Amino acid sequence: MAAATDIGVYREALVFLGTAGVLIPLMARLRISPVLGFLVAGLVLGPYSLGRIGQGIPWLQAITITSQDAVDRLAELGVAFLLFTIGLELSFDRLWTMRRLVFGLGMSQVVLTTAAISGIALGFGNTVEASLVIGACLALSSTAIVLQLLAEQKRLATIAGRSIFSVLLAQDLAVVPILFLIVVLGNSGAAGSGAVAAGSVWYGLGMAMVQAAAAILLIIGFGRLVLRRLFRLVAHTNNRELFMATILFVVVGTSLLTHVAGLSMALGAFLAGLVLAETEFRRQVEVDIEPFKGMLLGLFFISVGMRIDVAEVARYPAMVAASVFGMVALKAVLIAALTRGFGLSWPVVAEASLLLAGGGEFAFLVLGLASSSGLVTREVEQFMLLVSSGTMLLTPYLARLSRKASKRVHNATALADGDGDPGPAEAGRIIVVGYGRVGRILGDILKKQDKPFIGIEIYPEAVRKARKAGHNLIYGDATQRAFLRKCGLDEATALVVTMHDANAAEHVVAAARAERPDLPVIVRARDAAHAVRLFKLGATDVVREVLEASFEIASTVLQTVGMPVGKVIAIIHDERDARKKQVREGVAAD
């Protein structure tokens, strides 16, 4: 007879996998960040929500997650895998160029924010030791959530992305002295001395930093000497499973090494990624590790949601809400002042201050250690966990707000710099809307042929770079008829729309046609359906990017196999006319 199977060890894994399978497609359809979905799922399925309600109800217990410790251990690996992939995208040279932001801006943020929050906590009657702990843990932001949101938006390589990452990296490095400070303060309280000799504090802190530095140097030295050779040896076997096992060994091994040294596991994984970034295996490693990173990060976000006790929030909702929004506002103001003080532009200031205003995952570690050391009471620990969790829950919304704020500041800066002034209208001017790759090439050709033109672009950074390079480009929204008139639409000989945004291109055509029915309007179209819509709006001619690429390939193929050039040109011309006639008649067929 088969032994009875205990499904308890599988139940929570099934709940998580089922949640991921339902949430990710649903969030994608609703255009909501999966991060927020996992946070809410953790809140609903955790021990303080359905887990509490479902006690004694078998079917409800079957869909809840109750083992916080097991989830936390796996969730920490999710953060480590995220930092590993970030390390793969960097290099030691690029990291060295960021040293001013890491050790200047980042460390200043940790110190000043800790001091400010500690002062507020002290004013609410907490002890000096408890206030320092509260300030230190709330000064840290969520590496996992912020970097994941930046990665989703493909903004890690931007100036704002690098600046935000520099601060997060500094916060990870600051965890070592923060944890040591808690140990020292806890020992002081246990001994009843009220203070520890300054010499022993500095000696202990120095030893902790030496231990951490030794772990970092060991990882870097071992990696440069061994990792490239190891991966070459494994790659020669052509065994994908062995290659994957080696990646997991490197990530988990380096994470545990830094954990033993008193650093965060994420920092060890980041260093391993940095070492592998200098090898020829970085891209394959990045592809292979992606599924593990995504699943474990999802588990991390669920673990954060599981910590939110709705019943505790209901006890003093006004205090929790005031603390959450007050903390976000305070951190945003301090970070804005610091980032501006370090010479970053206002758009970067707007984005960084909001994205870094929330709490972080290290608050759980710091508060747990402080509680076990007797530095903070259980009630204070729970309240601060609620505040930190609440701000983390707000982070996806803060990310959306930061993008809008950054864009508004970008626009205002561009107008203040005069990038929106088209100058006096020239007779015979051609207006080019959209100055990406297609617009730039067109502009170069018009310039060589001495044809007067003006380019219009909605992205201020693109305008600034093009103007520095000598291009006649201005910032503005070409969907507005008043702006087109200001750009000389009445005197223009043609309007060319090369925008990638199909919807915006249609608005531009409609605005121009309403203003100038006789104006030749040539538009870049994404596909046949888009071309049909543009013709209906009044476009004079439409160039379909995929179709023209196909014609170019066909022309090259026919000439390569020996067909005369004249005949090839005639064939392509006839084919283009036939397909253009179809879309003019409203037939969207390629």
Side-chain angles (χ1 to χ4, degrees), residues 131 146 148 207 285 331 335 419 474 483 522 546 583:
S131 299
V146 172
Q148 180 68 10
M207 290 302 296
V285 170
K331 289 183 70 174
I335 293 168
D419 292 344
I474 63 167
F483 179 75
I522 300 96
V546 175
V583 294

Side-chain angles (χ1 to χ4, degrees), residues 72-88 90 95 140-145 147 165 168-176 179 216 219 250-275 293 297 300 360-362 365:
D72 285 348
R73 283 195 291 272
L74 287 174
E76 195 170 5
L77 281 177
V79 183
F81 277 112
L82 173 65
L83 266 292
F84 178 73
T85 57
I86 298 300
L88 286 174
L90 293 173
L95 191 61
L140 308 179
S141 309
S142 175
T143 300
I145 295 178
L147 290 185
F165 174 72
L168 292 171
L169 184 57
Q171 292 177 357
D172 283 350
L173 292 171
V175 171
V176 176
L179 293 179
I216 292 173
I219 290 172
V250 169
V251 177
V252 177
T254 52
S255 299
L256 290 177
L257 182 59
T258 50
H259 179 68
V260 170
L263 293 163
S264 70
M265 293 178 67
L267 181 61
F270 172 71
L271 292 172
L274 272 181
V275 173
K293 183 197 79 173
L297 265 181
F300 165 76
E361 52 272 8
F362 286 119
L365 174 64

Side-chain angles (χ1 to χ4, degrees), residues 370-427:
S371 178
S372 62
S373 302
L375 294 175
V376 297
T377 64
R378 177 67 176 171
E379 185 179 5
V380 170
E381 179 196 10
Q382 285 300 311
F383 183 83
M384 291 306 159
L385 283 176
L386 284 177
V387 172
S388 185
S389 301
T391 58
M392 292 173 76
L393 200 61
L394 284 178
T395 302
Y397 294 106
L398 292 173
R400 194 175 304 169
L401 182 61
S402 73
R403 294 290 296 122
K404 291 181 179 179
S406 178
K407 187 175 180 180
R408 284 176 179 264
V409 176
H410 259 304
N411 297 348
T413 304
L415 292 174
D417 292 343
D419 292 344
D421 183 12
E426 303 172 80

Side-chain angles (χ1 to χ4, degrees), residues 289-355:
I289 209 72
E290 185 65 27
F292 290 91
K293 183 197 79 173
M295 293 299 291
L296 289 172
L297 265 181
L299 195 60
F300 165 76
F301 299 134
I302 283 180
S303 74
V304 173
M306 289 172 62
R307 293 180 181 274
I308 302 175
D309 189 345
V310 180
E312 286 293 316
V313 176
R315 287 178 58 190
Y316 22 68
M319 191 64 180
V320 172
S323 299
V324 168
F325 289 104
M327 172 185 159
V328 168
L330 175 64
K331 289 183 70 174
V333 169
L334 289 174
I335 293 168
L338 284 170
T339 48
R340 187 58 184 166
F342 274 79
L344 297 174
S345 65
W346 282 111
V348 174
V349 170
E351 195 164 353
S353 60
L354 288 170
L355 259 179

Side-chain angles (χ1 to χ4, degrees), residues 129-169:
E129 293 83 358
S131 299
L132 281 173
V133 170
I134 292 169
C137 72
L138 296 185
L140 308 179
S141 309
S142 175
T143 300
I145 295 178
V146 172
L147 290 185
Q148 180 68 10
L149 290 169
L150 287 173
E152 286 177 6
Q153 299 170 358
K154 295 181 172 56
R155 295 190 51 75
L156 278 170
T158 64
I159 295 175
R162 290 196 299 269
S163 303
I164 291 168
F165 174 72
S166 299
V167 175
L168 292 171
L169 184 57

